Amino acid sequence: MVFDNSGIENIVADQNIIQHVMNKHGLNLGGHWDYERVTYDLKYQIEEGIYYLRIPGYAVEGDVGARNATLQMMDPYLGKHYYPTGIEYGEDEYFPPAVVEHCKRTIISISNDLKEILA
């Protein structure tokens, strides 16, 4: 499930600023990063299963590994984890309404915080 037009996809900022705001809202730099790309994850472990809110970005300048990148953020998305195959993001997946609503609130809060800092 992709959260289109959240406002986050328009943000370009220093990696350290983005990292600070993401951590403030409970998202951690996932294991899915390299020198050009990042993914910030928020894990939901509930009775229905394990879900991940992911907010990706890529370096338009600098190096993610050296923590001196300028990041262009991208559309957030939600996926369900299946053991042992991994995470599925398809529209045919069931996403609990409470998780979806929490994701929306979190995305709005992150977007607002980043816009305020960057203003």
Side-chain angles (χ1 to χ4, degrees):
M1 164 180 273
V2 176
F3 296 95
D4 294 324
N5 303 313
S6 67
I8 288 179
E9 73 281 0
N10 299 321
I11 293 173
V12 178
D14 180 88
Q15 176 181 356
N16 295 310
I17 292 171
I18 292 173
Q19 181 79 38
H20 171 74
V21 172
M22 293 296 179
N23 289 161
K24 174 183 171 186
H25 292 280
L27 283 87
N28 297 307
L29 182 59
H32 309 309
W33 70 270
D34 60 24
Y35 298 103
E36 298 173 347
R37 295 175 295 201
V38 295
T39 303
Y40 294 96
D41 294 343
L42 179 57
K43 182 178 181 180
Y44 296 90
Q45 191 164 353
I46 59 174
E47 188 174 321
E48 291 94 332
I50 298 173
Y51 298 86
Y52 285 92
L53 170 62
R54 293 200 153 155
I55 303 179
Y58 62 92
V60 293
E61 186 177 306
D63 183 321
V64 171
R67 297 181 183 219
N68 67 2
T70 298
L71 300 176
Q72 167 69 60
M73 301 312 294
M74 301 167 65
D75 286 323
Y77 52 92
L78 179 63
K80 181 174 184 183
H81 183 264
Y82 290 96
Y83 178 82
T85 57
I87 299 175
E88 295 293 330
Y89 306 100
E91 291 299 320
D92 57 335
E93 292 295 328
Y94 170 76
F95 297 107
V99 171
V100 172
E101 287 306 312
H102 187 268
C103 288
K104 288 178 181 178
R105 287 192 310 272
T106 301
I107 291 165
I108 289 168
S109 294
I110 290 168
S111 181
N112 289 340
D113 281 0
L114 285 169
K115 288 175 185 174
E116 183 178 317
I117 289 169
L118 300 171

